């Protein structure tokens, strides 16, 4: 299962000419996961090519000018692939009407966007923690900032009074914040048991997390807390991250 | 004309109960300007309250939880005002159908969004420059990074072959990037004559800037390069920025 992630010296993938969308991704990238989730939730057929982000293929800037994943190639368009997870997610939801994820009410949509924007209050300290080789000690205050940022989401679930942020089934907010919520399962491994989410303070959010794990789109991409932890530890190796230690679901493997 | 910008110790503004939107703004804030531009371009009636961002009113976090401008209060909604310039701009364009600024084609809309996102390549070094008390010397590389980021926009105007990014009249991209483009007129004052935009390298962008200045929405809010410069210099004063040195157009003055 080695070298699923294409790196330096690789050839660009050759996809079948079947009109399907082509997603450039990385197995552990939460931003790419957002796009996978939307594709899965809306049942849109697609191919995936995985990119080694530490040793990027020379050809990759032709696909994504800033070298980032996710990037979505639309085979019927001659222009550059789309970039930026939220922009791609919106495009997919607007272009493919089945299982609409965004609200059609402009005000509700704006409120959902603000909520996603406020989730950056979690993402920013989360990355400080993840890039700290010594865990909590190496990123003073980050764990507190990250956990505090989740209070807004606990309160919002209470206020909305629904199982999911978007009602009786997961919608745009649910899928867009999920990848990082999934990774809170790695906190106990990475940072110590006491950093598991507090069961009282985050009772609604923990209930929501359990329900989310029953969702088919979520399930098809779910990585355990322990595996997220293993990947994160591997990023500190001299030889770079171990992108390929997990088996990749058969239907996602690129075809060349 | 002093104290138009509400500061510490002020009372919250009382707006007439006329159903009009209420925008919390700051006269020189480019993000707030984005929202003013959309309101003006779509001819949506609104009231404005200006906020002193250095000495914020105690009541302001009730309007904008992170204390930022712009914030848009919707008198018919009990919820918090909307925040984040792009989210507010989208809301206004979706809610008020006149003079549609966004493309209705999902792919074009996504491409426009990517362009706006790439404008952060200008905004980030721009702020490094503006916060440097010693101009170019205090922010090494920033002026080069900022100018280089504009190459994408020059190339895009050539590629689109239209007067404006959005065609024959200004649209979403045009208005969203404008506030910082307007401020490039301050470069000669702030940084020295040689930092004016190069007339050959940016011929399309300069043509576009001139056309934009003919647009009614742009004109109604335009601040000269020299006045932007004056404000920017004032931010380094011991007593804080001089928010109130410009006359504010009569129809924008809050009513209490």
């Amino acid at each position: 299962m080695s070298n699923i992630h294409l790196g330096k010296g690789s050839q660009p993938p050759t996809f079948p000419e079947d009109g399907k969308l082509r997603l450039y991704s990385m197995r552990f990238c939460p931003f790419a996961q957002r796009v996978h989730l939307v594709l899965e939730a809306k049942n849109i057929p697609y191919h995936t090519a995985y990119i080694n982000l530490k040793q990027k293929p020379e050809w990759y800037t032709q696909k994504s000018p800033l070298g980032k994943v996710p990037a979505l190639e639309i085979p019927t368009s001659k222009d550059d692939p789309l970039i930026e997870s939220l922009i791609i997610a919106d495009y997919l939801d607007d272009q493919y009407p089945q299982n609409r994820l965004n609200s059609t009410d402009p005000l509700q949509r704006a409120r959902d966007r603000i909520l996603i924007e406020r989730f950056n209050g979690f993402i920013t300290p989360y990355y400080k923690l993840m890039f700290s080789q010594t865990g909590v000690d190496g990123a003073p205050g980050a764990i507190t900032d990250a956990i505090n940022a989740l209070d807004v989401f606990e309160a919002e679930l209470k206020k909305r009074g629904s199982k999911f942020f978007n009602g009786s089934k997961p919608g745009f907010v649910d899928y867009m914040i999920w990848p990082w919520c999934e990774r809170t399962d790695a906190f106990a491994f990475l940072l110590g048991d006491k950093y598991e989410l507090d069961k009282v303070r985050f009772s609604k959010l923990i209930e929501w997390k359990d329900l989310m794990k029953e969702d088919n789109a979520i399930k098809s991409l779910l990585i355990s807390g322990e595996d997220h932890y293993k990947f994160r530890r591997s990023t500190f190796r001299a030889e770079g991250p171990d992108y390929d230690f997990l088996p990749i679901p058969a239907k996602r493997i690129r075809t060349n």
Side-chain angles (χ1 to χ4, degrees), chain A:
Chain A
M1 198 52 76
S2 66
N3 288 329
I4 287 291
H5 288 75
L6 300 169
K8 254 200 184 72
S10 67
Q11 292 297 309
T14 50
F15 295 99
E17 290 298 335
D18 55 7
K20 287 184 191 170
L21 296 172
R22 299 154 182 187
L23 178 62
Y24 295 87
S25 177
M26 190 279 272
R27 185 75 165 113
F28 298 91
C29 171
F31 295 97
Q33 190 179 349
R34 281 177 163 175
V35 177
H36 283 284
L37 286 170
V38 173
L39 288 161
E40 295 292 339
K42 295 177 76 79
N43 246 310
I44 301 167
Y46 68 107
H47 297 289
T48 308
Y50 292 96
I51 304 297
N52 179 328
L53 295 177
K54 279 286 168 204
Q55 302 279 333
K56 285 178 194 166
E58 292 76 1
W59 50 265
Y60 192 56
T61 50
Q62 286 165 27
K63 300 296 180 186
S64 176
L66 308 174
K68 297 198 292 186
V69 298
L72 184 74
E73 195 166 44
I74 299 166
T76 51
S77 163
K78 276 179 197 144
D79 271 319
D80 289 345
L82 300 181
I83 54 171
E84 296 296 332
S85 61
L86 290 175
I87 294 173
I88 299 173
D90 266 337
Y91 164 73
L92 292 170
D93 201 35
D94 289 339
Q95 184 67 32
Y96 298 84
Q98 69 270 27
N99 187 20
R100 185 93 196 151
L101 300 175
N102 272 300
S103 172
T104 52
D105 171 47
L107 186 55
Q108 187 56 49
R109 187 167 168 147
R111 299 211 181 284
D112 286 349
R113 284 310 145 120
I114 292 169
L115 209 50
I116 294 169
E117 188 63 33
R118 294 207 64 181
F119 197 69
N120 290 332
F122 181 82
I123 294 178
T124 306
Y126 168 85
Y127 278 110
K128 281 189 197 150
L129 275 172
M130 293 303 124
F131 291 129
S132 152
Q133 201 160 351
T134 51
V136 174
D137 295 340
I143 184 70
T144 311
D145 290 348
I147 299 287
N148 286 349
L150 295 179
D151 283 331
V152 171
F153 293 82
E154 178 72 13
E156 188 72 20
L157 268 179
K158 276 205 187 82
K159 187 177 152 200
R160 294 193 179 196
S162 50
K163 284 186 182 174
F164 300 98
F165 287 96
N166 284 64
S168 59
K169 62 192 182 74
F172 208 78
V173 172
D174 300 282
Y175 288 125
M176 293 304 105
I177 70 171
W178 174 257
W180 294 269
C181 294
E182 177 178 303
R183 285 158 180 75
T184 59
D185 287 350
F187 279 8
F189 298 97
L190 272 164
L191 310 172
D193 282 346
K194 67 172 175 168
Y195 295 107
E196 278 189 53
L197 289 188
D198 185 286
K199 286 183 177 53
V200 177
R201 181 173 171 188
F202 296 112
S203 64
K204 287 277 168 204
L205 215 48
I206 289 168
E207 228 170 81
W208 168 82
K209 271 184 71 178
D210 290 341
L211 285 168
M212 285 292 279
K213 286 179 183 171
E214 301 294 308
D215 177 75
N216 284 334
I218 300 288
K219 267 199 277 194
S220 72
L221 296 153
L222 193 73
I223 294 176
S224 71
E226 192 170 357
D227 283 337
H228 278 302
Y229 160 75
K230 280 187 195 162
F231 175 71
R232 185 46 54 194
R233 292 315 302 169
S234 83
T235 62
F236 299 114
R237 304 184 314 174
E239 67 269 40
D242 188 5
Y243 290 110
D244 293 314
F245 80 88
L246 280 184
I248 289 181
K251 70 166 176 161
R252 313 248 151 279
I253 297 175
R254 71 200 157 77
T255 44
N256 68 334

